[in-house]
């Protein structure tokens, strides 16, 4: 509705403030904040700083997303449309496809600034625009998986915090891999530092991970009963923050979407049951409580423990022992020590219980990520990728502990990457390339990263690892040792030690961290007793989560890795991965800490602007260059823009690449102030200049296509004109030739008094009409029956008469014609058509073949059938000329292809015993006594004439079966001169029937319902006789009229359009094309249609 009813959304997005803050008149942090406020107050959340997108969390749903808006960004440059997260995704995707380089999108900001939603919109855009309309089902499935990962990972990895109702409590780097055409092949997810401590404890006003609350609401039937699922308030792990619901979040709906996502990534129902069995087990582990007597803890409620044991598949006695007693072993060098069983107090027992819950949940989350990666698996090879980084934001709480320290360290590393690419490296590149440049000062947070992770002097992480290795025993002793050893970091100006806490001056502000609990959390180990319980578990899925390779080995001297070591390694690997791709940035800001859509907290936003270094970023962008590339790539991409480097879309430059680049830039439509040439690269100053180059490049091909089309059309017109002249001359010649032939034929036929058998034709018609499609030769005009088509009694046919034997001389010839007979050569040989001379007398039907004997052609009688034995015939319903003559008493049939089959059947019916007519597309017959065969007829408009092969006949369509020939009258002899109009239809001197072999409708295949349009019927090209000879002897009666038998659509402008039943006034009868008047319009029409 927003798109249809209101103003265009892109106008709404652009009507307040500046889209790109590099255009600000005053460069101050306050001016940046004022521009952001003006846009936020008008519902505009996106603003650019060059290629960097600034996004404000609106804390409400805006009508600026969806498929229609996605399509508006496809193929558009950054400055063509308002700033949008879709614009960043489009730029990354098109750059990947065009430049064949990997891309990454870094989405950073504080917790609650909208990073997760921005990442989802990026994946939504890429999934929508990647691939093509013809993409396979596999590609569609990959897209579904890419989108389906969001609800699944959000359920298991997101939670409500004080600052964000859907805060990511883990880091995610999602790589989508594509082929060279930009179609998605698959992907992979790398997850970082899941906040597993949230499983067992939450701050006031926060929730545990979403999955627990969703499962309590959505579990149905057997799951709820078998797993002991109740409302969330029944489980201790879910009420630590005294919050079980979230405003605006429907846990039931989220649960259903999460279950659907499980199916999309390929989790079977059994695997889903295993997952929720452990989710329920974690909830019930939290309900295990202890009582303490003499500093020895024991399980308070065995019923709860036994239910947990049933879910985990661990014997209750073993699990009870592991929670109450810790087994310790003392060693002296290589000698085997003594094993002690030490009872645990209440605090230690609770810590052991919580460690089991955290370990199971963390391993289950890693397994889910592994299964998603398996569903997204692809064939490794020459692929391109787009990576989307969605990681926890910078966090500052009243009490900041180990988790906040790790989270803020990762954000510090990401800020370092941003500084590296947007400020430091860019300026260093200008100096290296010899570009005129005034350095811009900025804060480099490398000193903060070194404080946390450096080896010399040791950073905070290394101090923490050293404490974990050297200090054993109670946790308080380790906390104190950690605080004491942090004094080694005091030389760093960004560090202050404050008793049992320390302060780090991060890029986002000062944060004070509590030393208490840090060494214990950094150890990241689970008691060996709990591993032993898992090892004997009957729950196969639980054992899968803890493979043998990750379990502690007895007697091993290798120290387990710490959490600090893991997060340092993962962060450095992430930096390495991002450094190999072209980065794109989205910086997310929070307008306020109250999550209100109508509140803009100026000081809060100003603080974020300062620590993100947006002012420095704007300064570098205003003074810098929008695009740079090496000489060869610039020459390869833009050589088309200069006539010195290209001709007919081919590179003709033979000189060095630097001179080629200078030649191209000299021919570009902008001044020399818009570019500079460095030592190895070409620099383009503004995006507008770069877009101008791209437009010229695209228009080059467009102009080249226009030239080719113009030349082709010119040649085509000349060819058509020449062809038209040749055709007109040929038509005039054919018209004259046909008119001469018509005169000769009419004179000869009138003289010979041909067609004495007109009544025979009308008698056979009832047996065929409405049962078989007709040829135009048969019904489009009157075809006369002539009988003896071979002129059998003539002198040249003497050998043929002799071959039929002595009885032939005593019989009267009725019908003769050439024909084709289906010949059956015998076993393992295909049936085929063989030519035969067909002679029908009043006594018998003869089939004579012409064979070569010793090189001399000789007639040989092949078959002779008594005419009275032929009592039936079979034909197909199509327009073919095949007929099966049946002789039931002899159990022998013959299959013939005769052009004059209707006339043959008429004589057999008139003079013989033919009485049975059979029609069908599958016709059985006796090829010899007691041996049957079958011939099949197939309608195939791709063939022109009947095609016989392997007992199958393919034939195209004919006139409707309901078509009937018109009756006719014999006329006396009438001479027609060249160019005359011809006699009445069907007259003795009528010549070849219209629509048959002698002529055809002009440009058409016949009336509708007949053969396919597009060419003339058999018999030659259309004729059009206008003039071209002496006038007719007898003038036509004044203004005769005729009636249209079939509809006709004109091909040429001078033709009439006919509908069945139209009455036309004839003005000129000219061969097969007559001239007449219909509804006041005069034009030509085919004579065989009336």
């Amino acid at each position: 509705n927003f798109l249809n009813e209101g103003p265009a959304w892109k106008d709404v997005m652009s009507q307040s403030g500046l889209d790109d803050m590099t255009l600000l008149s005053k460069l101050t942090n306050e001016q940046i904040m004022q521009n952001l406020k003006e846009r936020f107050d008008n519902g505009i959340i996106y603003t650019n700083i060059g290629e960097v997108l600034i996004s404000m969390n609106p804390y409400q749903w805006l009508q600026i997303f969806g498929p229609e808006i996605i399509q508006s960004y496809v193929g558009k440059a950054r400055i063509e449309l308002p700033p949008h997260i879709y614009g960043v995704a489009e730029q990354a995707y098109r750059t990947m496809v065009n430049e064949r380089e990997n891309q990454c999108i870094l989405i950073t900001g504080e917790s609650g600034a909208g990073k997760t939603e921005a990442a989802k919109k990026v994946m939504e855009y890429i999934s929508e625009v990647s691939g093509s309309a013809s993409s396979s089902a596999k590609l569609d499935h990959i897209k579904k998986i890419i989108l389906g990962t969001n609800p699944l990972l959000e359920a298991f990895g997101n939670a409500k915090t004080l600052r964000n109702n859907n805060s990511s409590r883990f880091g995610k780097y999602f790589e989508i891999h594509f082929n060279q055409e930009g179609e998605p092949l698959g992907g992979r997810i790398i997850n970082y530092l899941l906040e597993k401590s949230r499983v067992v404890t939450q701050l006031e006003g926060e929730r545990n991970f979403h999955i627990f609350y969703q499962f309590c609401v959505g579990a149905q039937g057997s799951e709820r009963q078998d797993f002991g699922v109740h409302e969330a308030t029944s489980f201790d792990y879910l009420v630590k923050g005294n919050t079980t619901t979230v405003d605006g979040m429907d846990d039931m709906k989220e649960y259903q979407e999460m279950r659907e996502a499980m199916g999309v990534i390929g989790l079977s129902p059994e695997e889903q049951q295993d997952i929720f069995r452990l989710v329920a087990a974690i909830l019930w582990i939290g309900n295990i409580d202890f009582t303490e007597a003499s500093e020895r803890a024991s399980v308070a409620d065995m019923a709860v423990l036994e239910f947990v044991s049933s879910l985990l598949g661990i014997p209750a006695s073993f699990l009870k022992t592991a929670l109450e007693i810790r087994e310790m072993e003392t060693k002296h060098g290589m000698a085997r020590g003594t094993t002690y069983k030490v009872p645990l107090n209440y605090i230690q027992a609770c810590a052991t219980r919580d460690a089991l819950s955290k370990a199971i949940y963390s391993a289950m989350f890693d397994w889910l990520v592994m299964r998603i990666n398996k569903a997204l698996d692809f064939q490794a090879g020459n692929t391109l990728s787009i990576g989307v980084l969605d990681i926890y934001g910078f966090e500052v709480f009243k009490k900041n502990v180990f988790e906040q320290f790790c989270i803020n360290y990762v954000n510090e590393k990401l800020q370092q990457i941003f500084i590296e690419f947007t400020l430091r490296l860019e300026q260093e590149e200008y100096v290296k390339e010899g570009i005129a440049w005034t350095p811009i000062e900025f804060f480099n947070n490398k000193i903060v990263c070194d404080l946390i992770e450096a080896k010399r002097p040791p950073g905070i992480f290394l101090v923490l690892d050293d404490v974990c290795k050297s200090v054993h025993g109670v946790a308080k002793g380790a906390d104190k040792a950690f605080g004491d050893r942090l004094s080694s970091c005091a030389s760093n100006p960004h560090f202050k030690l404050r008793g049992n806490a320390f302060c780090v001056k991060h890029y986002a502000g000062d944060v004070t961290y509590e030393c208490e609990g840090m060494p214990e959390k950094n150890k990241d180990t689970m008691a060996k007793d709990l591993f032993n319980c898992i090892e004997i578990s009957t729950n196969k899925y639980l054992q899968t989560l803890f493979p043998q390779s990750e379990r502690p080995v007895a007697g091993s001297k290798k120290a387990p890795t710490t959490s600090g070591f893991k997060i340092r390694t993962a962060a450095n690997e992430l930096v390495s991965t991002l450094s190999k791709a072209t980065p794109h940035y989205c910086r997310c800001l929070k307008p306020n800490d109250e999550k209100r859509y109508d509140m803009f907290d100026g000081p809060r936003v100003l603080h974020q602007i300062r620590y993100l270094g947006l002012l420095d970023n704007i300064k570098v962008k205003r003074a810098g260059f929008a695009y740079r590339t090496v000489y060869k790539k610039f020459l390869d991409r833009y050589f088309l823009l200069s006539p010195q480097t290209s001709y007919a879309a081919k590179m003709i430059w033979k000189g060095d690449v630097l001179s080629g680049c200078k030649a191209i830039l000299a021919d570009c439509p902008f001044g020399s102030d818009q570019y500079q040439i460095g030592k190895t690269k070409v620099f383009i100053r503004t995006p507008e200049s770069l877009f101008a180059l791209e437009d010229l490049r695209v228009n080059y091909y467009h102009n080249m296509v226009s030239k080719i089309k113009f030349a082709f059309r010119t040649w085509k017109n000349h060819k058509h004109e020449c062809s038209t002249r040749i055709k007109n001359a040929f038509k005039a010649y054919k018209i004259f030739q046909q008119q001469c032939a018509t005169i000769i034929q009419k004179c000869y036929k009138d003289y010979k008094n041909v067609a004495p058998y007109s009544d025979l034709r009308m008698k056979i018609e009832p047996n065929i009409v409405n049962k078989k499609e007709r040829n135009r030769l048969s019904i489009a005009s009157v075809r006369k029956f002539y009988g003896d088509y071979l002129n059998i009694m003539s002198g040249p046919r003497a050998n043929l008469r002799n071959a039929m034997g002595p009885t032939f001389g005593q019989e009267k010839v009725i019908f003769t014609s050439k024909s084709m007979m289906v010949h059956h050569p015998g076993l393992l040989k295909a049936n085929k058509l063989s030519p035969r001379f067909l002679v029908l007398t009043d006594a018998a039907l003869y089939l004579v073949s012409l064979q070569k004997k010793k090189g001399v052609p000789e007639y040989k009688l092949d078959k002779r059938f008594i005419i009275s034995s032929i009592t039936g015939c079979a034909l197909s319903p199509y327009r073919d000329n095949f007929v099966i003559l049946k002789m039931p008493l002899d159990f022998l049939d013959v299959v013939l292809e005769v052009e004059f089959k209707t006339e043959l059947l008429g004589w057999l019916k008139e003079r013989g015993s033919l009485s049975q007519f059979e029609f069908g597309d599958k016709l059985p017959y006796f090829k010899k006594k007691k041996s049957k065969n079958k011939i099949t007829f197939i309608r195939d408009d791709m063939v022109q004439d009947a095609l016989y092969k392997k007992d199958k006949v393919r034939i195209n369509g004919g006139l409707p079966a309901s078509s009937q020939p018109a009756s006719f009258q014999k006329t006396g002899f009438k001479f027609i001169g060249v160019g005359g109009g011809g006699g009445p239809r069907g007259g003795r001197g009528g010549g070849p029937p219209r629509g048959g072999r002698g002529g055809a409708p002009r440009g058409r295949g016949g009336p509708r319902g007949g053969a396919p349009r597009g060419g003339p019927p058999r018999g030659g090209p259309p004729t059009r006789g206008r003039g071209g000879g002496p006038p007719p002897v007898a003038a036509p009666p004044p203004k005769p009229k005729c009636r249209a038998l079939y509809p006709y659509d004109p091909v040429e402008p001078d033709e009439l359009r006919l509908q069945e039943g139209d009455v036309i006034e004839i003005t000129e009868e000219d061969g097969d094309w007559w001239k007449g008047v219909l509804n006041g319009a005069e034009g030509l029409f085919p004579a065989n249609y009336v």
Side-chain angles (χ1 to χ4, degrees):
N1 292 334
F2 177 84
L3 291 173
N4 296 330
E5 295 174 4
W9 75 269
K10 61 183 180 182
D11 296 333
V12 174
M13 289 284 288
S14 303
Q15 63 191 9
S16 298
L18 292 174
D19 283 350
D20 194 330
M21 289 193 290
T22 58
L23 304 177
L24 288 171
S25 57
K26 295 181 180 179
L27 287 185
T28 64
N29 288 320
E30 289 74 14
Q31 192 71 24
I32 295 172
M33 182 196 70
Q34 188 61 36
N35 188 70
L36 293 176
K37 181 178 186 305
E38 183 179 351
R39 294 172 70 80
F40 181 81
D41 291 343
N42 286 276
I44 306 172
I45 63 173
Y46 294 121
T47 309
N48 281 336
I49 299 179
E51 291 80 21
V52 179
L53 181 71
I54 308 301
S55 172
M56 300 286 289
N57 192 338
Y59 293 119
Q60 62 175 329
W61 179 253
L62 300 177
Q63 298 286 347
I64 58 172
F65 305 102
E68 293 184 22
I69 298 176
I70 286 176
Q71 291 304 318
S72 69
Y73 275 88
V74 175
K76 298 294 192 303
R78 179 177 62 83
I79 63 173
E80 292 185 61
L81 289 173
H84 203 291
I85 190 65
Y86 290 161
V88 177
E90 166 65 20
Q91 187 176 11
Y93 179 72
R94 296 301 162 192
T95 305
M96 178 198 71
V97 173
N98 294 334
E99 302 290 339
R100 297 291 191 267
E101 293 178 353
N102 295 336
Q103 310 291 309
C104 64
I105 300 175
L106 278 65
I107 304 173
T108 57
E110 291 188 10
S111 177
K115 300 182 300 300
T116 299
E117 285 300 318
K120 287 160 64 174
K121 297 305 176 187
V122 169
M123 289 189 286
E124 176 185 297
Y125 183 90
I126 293 174
S127 176
E128 179 74 20
V129 305
S130 58
S132 61
S134 60
S135 294
S136 65
K138 181 181 178 182
L139 296 184
D140 293 336
H141 180 62
I142 290 172
K143 293 180 181 181
K144 286 183 180 179
I145 295 176
I146 291 173
L147 296 178
T149 58
N150 288 327
L152 182 58
L153 291 179
E154 284 186 11
F156 282 87
N158 288 22
K160 178 192 183 306
T161 64
L162 295 175
R163 296 188 173 183
N164 186 359
N165 289 342
N166 188 31
S167 176
S168 297
R169 307 319 297 164
F170 72 106
K172 176 180 69 174
Y173 184 65
F174 195 161
E175 271 187 347
I176 307 174
H177 286 258
F178 304 82
N179 60 18
Q180 297 298 314
E181 287 72 39
E183 296 177 334
L185 300 176
R188 66 170 180 149
I189 296 175
I190 306 173
N191 60 305
Y192 304 96
L193 190 66
L194 176 71
E195 188 190 17
K196 55 187 178 183
S197 62
R198 182 169 294 273
V199 175
V200 299
T201 183
Q202 307 94 42
L203 296 177
E204 183 72 23
E206 295 189 349
R207 288 206 317 178
N208 209 321
F209 290 103
H210 292 324
I211 182 60
F212 296 113
Y213 304 93
Q214 293 174 6
F215 188 48
C216 289
V217 173
Q220 302 293 330
S222 60
E223 282 185 351
R224 181 170 290 275
Q225 182 176 355
D226 296 344
F227 300 155
V229 181
H230 305 292
E231 60 275 5
T233 54
S234 301
F235 300 102
D236 289 346
Y237 279 166
L238 304 187
V239 295
K240 297 291 181 70
N242 291 322
T243 303
T244 58
T245 59
V246 179
D247 293 339
M249 183 175 290
D250 187 344
D251 286 326
M252 173 62 81
K253 180 182 177 182
E254 302 284 341
Y255 175 77
Q256 293 170 349
E257 292 179 356
M258 181 269 299
R259 291 299 291 257
E260 291 176 4
M262 284 184 165
V264 169
I265 70 167
L267 291 179
S268 65
E270 293 75 17
E271 289 175 320
Q272 296 182 35
Q273 288 294 305
D274 290 338
I275 291 171
F276 289 110
R277 185 184 301 277
L278 291 189
V279 170
I282 291 171
L283 292 176
W284 279 102
I285 290 173
N287 283 3
I288 297 176
D289 201 5
F290 302 92
T291 59
E292 186 178 27
S294 302
E295 295 189 357
R296 178 168 183 166
S298 59
V299 176
D301 189 345
M302 283 301 297
V304 176
L305 179 70
E306 289 172 354
F307 187 67
V308 171
S309 299
S310 66
L311 293 174
L312 296 178
I314 302 172
S317 58
F318 280 85
L319 182 59
K320 182 176 184 298
T321 302
L323 295 176
E324 296 176 351
I325 298 173
R326 178 170 299 172
E327 188 176 285
M328 302 183 69
E329 183 179 359
T330 61
K331 286 189 176 183
H332 303 281
M334 297 298 293
R336 185 173 182 179
T338 306
T339 300
Y340 298 92
K341 292 187 176 180
V342 181
L344 303 179
N345 60 28
Y346 180 82
I347 295 177
Q348 293 170 332
C350 290
T352 303
R353 174 200 65 192
D354 293 344
L356 177 61
S357 299
K358 292 187 291 184
I360 292 175
Y361 192 83
S362 177
M364 184 165 60
F365 186 82
D366 291 340
W367 183 87
L368 279 173
V369 173
M370 180 273 294
R371 283 306 305 270
I372 292 173
N373 288 336
K374 182 179 179 182
L376 289 169
D377 193 22
F378 60 95
Q379 191 72 30
N382 186 20
T383 63
L384 303 170
S385 67
I386 295 178
V388 182
L389 180 65
D390 174 21
I391 205 161
Y392 21 62
F394 196 88
E395 292 185 346
V396 184
F397 298 123
K398 291 181 180 179
K399 182 178 180 180
N400 301 288
V401 292
F402 181 74
E403 286 79 13
Q404 279 70 49
F405 181 69
C406 293
I407 288 171
N408 293 342
Y409 160 69
V410 174
N411 279 272
E412 201 74 56
K413 294 289 287 185
L414 294 178
Q415 176 68 6
Q416 188 179 22
I417 293 175
F418 182 79
I419 292 172
E420 284 281 316
F421 281 101
T422 61
L423 300 175
R424 188 180 69 82
L425 289 181
E426 185 162 354
Q427 295 193 71
E428 288 180 0
E429 183 180 34
Y430 295 150
V431 175
K432 179 181 176 182
E433 290 288 329
I435 303 297
W437 178 257
T438 302
I440 294 173
E441 297 296 328
F442 60 92
F443 169 68
N444 191 340
N445 72 330
K446 184 177 184 300
I447 187 173
V448 182
C449 294
D450 290 342
L451 168 66
I452 298 173
E453 66 178 2
K455 295 183 179 179
R456 293 183 183 178
I460 297 173
F461 269 133
L462 265 72
V463 173
L464 188 57
D465 288 350
D466 184 59
V467 170
C468 292
K469 292 177 183 178
S470 58
V471 179
H472 304 280
V474 297
K476 290 184 178 179
D479 296 341
K480 186 177 184 306
F482 175 53
D484 294 340
R485 296 189 187 184
L486 280 176
S487 59
S488 62
C489 301
S491 60
N492 193 303
H494 289 263
F495 177 84
K496 286 185 181 180
L497 190 61
R498 297 177 177 175
N500 198 32
F502 62 93
C503 176
V504 176
K505 300 180 89 174
H506 288 285
Y507 75 96
D510 297 355
V511 182
T512 300
Y513 300 98
E514 302 290 336
C515 294
E516 181 182 355
M518 275 198 175
E520 188 68 24
K521 291 181 178 180
N522 188 47
K523 288 180 182 179
D524 194 31
T525 57
M526 190 170 63
K528 181 182 177 182
D529 308 79
L530 296 176
F531 277 111
N532 293 337
C533 288
I534 291 173
E535 193 164 351
I536 63 173
S537 171
T538 58
N539 188 325
K540 300 299 182 184
Y541 178 64
L542 179 61
Q543 292 206 357
T544 302
L545 300 182
F546 297 91
Q548 194 69 39
S549 59
E550 297 182 7
R551 300 176 191 174
V553 180
S556 174
K557 293 185 178 182
K558 183 179 180 182
T561 56
T562 63
S563 290
F565 175 80
K566 292 176 182 176
I567 193 62
R568 284 200 321 275
T569 303
N572 288 320
E573 288 177 352
L574 175 61
V575 170
S576 176
T577 301
L578 296 176
S579 300
K580 296 175 184 177
T582 303
H584 305 264
Y585 301 98
C586 176
R587 308 286 267 176
C588 296
L589 304 182
K590 295 176 61 174
N592 59 77
D593 288 327
E594 310 300 324
K595 293 180 278 192
R596 289 175 52 182
Y597 70 91
D598 57 348
M599 177 181 178
F600 188 91
D601 187 344
R604 184 76 177 85
V605 175
L606 189 61
H607 173 66
Q608 297 173 76
I609 292 171
R610 284 181 175 141
Y611 75 67
L612 289 175
L614 299 186
L615 179 61
D616 296 336
N617 192 212
I618 294 174
K619 289 179 179 179
V620 172
K621 288 297 177 185
R622 286 179 64 156
F625 295 84
Y627 174 78
R628 76 288 315 272
T629 188
V630 295
Y631 295 154
K632 188 175 187 313
K633 287 185 70 174
F634 185 84
L635 180 62
D636 289 343
R637 184 162 185 82
Y638 298 112
F639 71 91
L640 298 169
L641 307 188
S642 172
Q644 303 177 57
T645 55
S646 69
Y647 177 77
K650 292 184 178 180
M651 184 184 289
I652 60 173
W653 184 256
K654 302 299 182 182
D656 60 276
V657 290
L658 175 58
S659 300
C661 293
K662 290 180 178 179
I664 294 170
L665 290 169
D667 291 329
C668 287
F670 45 73
S672 58
D673 61 324
Q674 291 299 308
Y675 66 88
Q676 285 197 39
I677 298 179
K679 296 177 181 178
T680 62
K681 295 182 179 180
V682 175
F683 293 80
I684 306 297
R685 184 172 297 280
T686 63
E688 290 78 7
S689 299
L690 176 63
F691 299 146
L693 290 177
E694 288 294 325
D695 288 341
L696 288 173
R697 183 175 176 272
V698 172
N699 290 337
Y700 178 89
Y701 287 106
H702 177 76
N703 295 336
M704 184 62 68
V705 169
S706 298
K707 291 179 181 179
I708 294 172
K709 285 165 62 177
F710 178 77
F712 177 77
R713 286 170 180 168
T714 302
W715 171 81
K716 195 75 173 175
N717 290 337
H718 177 72
K719 179 182 175 182
H720 177 71
E721 185 177 352
C722 294
S723 175
T724 301
R725 292 180 181 179
I726 295 171
K727 286 194 287 186
N728 288 340
F730 181 74
K731 285 180 180 178
Y733 161 74
K734 290 296 289 184
I735 290 170
F736 180 76
Q737 184 186 50
Q738 186 167 352
Q739 288 175 345
C740 292
T742 301
I743 294 171
I744 296 171
Q745 288 174 350
K746 291 176 75 68
C747 294
Y748 177 77
K749 289 175 183 177
D750 281 347
Y751 172 74
K752 296 292 289 183
N753 196 19
V754 184
Y757 311 117
S758 56
D759 294 336
L760 179 65
R761 180 175 187 184
M762 306 317 293
K763 291 180 181 178
I764 193 64
E765 279 300 318
N767 297 100
I768 298 176
V769 70
N770 294 323
K771 299 173 183 176
K772 182 175 179 65
E773 292 181 357
R774 311 304 299 274
N775 284 311
R776 294 185 184 87
L777 176 64
S778 300
I779 64 110
S781 181
V782 178
R783 191 190 76 76
K784 302 161 187 177
F785 286 3
Y786 303 128
D788 185 8
Y789 292 92
L790 297 179
N791 199 8
I792 193 69
M793 303 309 295
S794 63
R797 299 295 187 186
N799 291 335
L800 177 58
R801 294 195 299 272
N802 295 334
M804 287 185 282
T807 58
F808 175 77
Q810 303 171 10
E811 299 169 358
K812 182 181 179 181
V813 176
I814 301 174
F815 175 82
T816 64
S817 174
K818 291 182 180 180
S819 68
M820 301 292 286
M821 183 187 77
V822 175
H823 178 59
H824 308 92
L827 187 64
L828 302 180
K829 292 185 179 180
N831 300 337
K832 61 182 181 179
L833 291 176
S834 180
R836 294 291 187 272
F837 292 98
L838 186 150
V839 179
L840 179 66
T841 68
D842 56 356
L845 185 144
Y846 296 83
L847 294 174
V848 181
S849 63
L850 183 61
Q851 302 178 357
K852 278 190 177 183
K853 188 173 183 181
K854 295 181 180 181
V856 179
E858 182 181 47
Y859 290 97
K860 183 178 180 180
L861 178 63
D862 186 49
K863 295 183 184 297
R864 181 180 185 274
F865 305 106
I866 303 301
I867 191 172
S868 59
S869 65
I870 303 174
T871 60
C873 66
L875 302 95
S876 79
Y878 306 121
R879 72 171 190 88
D880 57 279
N881 292 321
F882 281 81
V883 60
I884 302 176
L885 301 181
K886 298 198 170 188
M887 291 152 278
L889 297 179
D890 298 335
F891 294 95
L892 178 64
D893 303 330
V894 62
V895 183
L896 299 173
E897 184 184 20
V898 186
E899 187 170 5
F900 309 106
K901 64 181 181 307
T902 307
E903 186 173 353
L904 172 63
L905 297 178
W907 285 115
L908 289 173
K909 180 181 178 183
E910 180 75 11
R911 300 294 181 89
S913 302
L914 180 64
S915 59
Q916 299 175 5
F917 289 78
E918 178 184 351
F919 295 86
D921 57 356
K922 294 180 181 179
L923 301 175
Y925 66 94
F926 285 94
K927 63 181 180 180
K928 59 183 178 180
K929 289 187 178 181
K930 299 183 179 180
S931 177
K932 280 192 172 184
N933 197 25
K934 184 170 67 174
I935 185 168
T936 304
F937 296 85
I938 301 171
R939 175 75 170 267
D940 187 351
D941 290 333
M942 298 300 294
V943 300
Q944 185 170 358
D945 295 314
L947 177 64
Y948 175 90
K949 188 174 182 181
K950 295 183 180 179
D951 292 327
K952 292 182 179 178
V953 178
R954 297 181 181 275
I955 184 69
N956 59 14
L959 297 177
S962 59
S963 304
Q964 300 184 50
S967 60
F968 62 92
Q969 297 178 349
K970 293 183 181 180
T971 63
F973 175 76
K974 180 179 179 183
F975 176 77
I976 306 296
V978 177
R985 285 201 313 156
R988 290 169 55 188
R994 292 190 297 269
R997 295 186 176 272
R1002 184 175 66 164
R1004 293 281 171 175
R1008 293 177 182 172
R1013 294 183 180 181
R1018 292 192 301 166
T1023 59
R1024 186 166 168 179
R1026 287 196 257 175
V1033 175
K1039 295 184 180 179
K1041 295 182 180 180
C1042 59
R1043 185 182 304 276
L1045 299 178
Y1046 315 104
Y1048 175 74
D1049 293 328
V1051 177
E1052 302 291 343
D1054 59 347
E1055 295 175 4
L1056 292 177
R1057 181 183 302 276
L1058 303 184
Q1059 299 295 336
E1060 186 175 350
D1062 284 348
V1063 177
I1064 308 104
E1065 183 180 285
I1066 302 171
T1067 59
E1068 182 181 344
E1069 298 180 18
D1070 191 3
D1072 283 340
W1073 287 89
W1074 293 359
K1075 183 182 291 187
V1077 178
L1078 176 62
N1079 297 329
E1082 184 177 18
L1084 299 172
F1085 60 93
N1088 57 340
Y1089 276 62
V1090 298

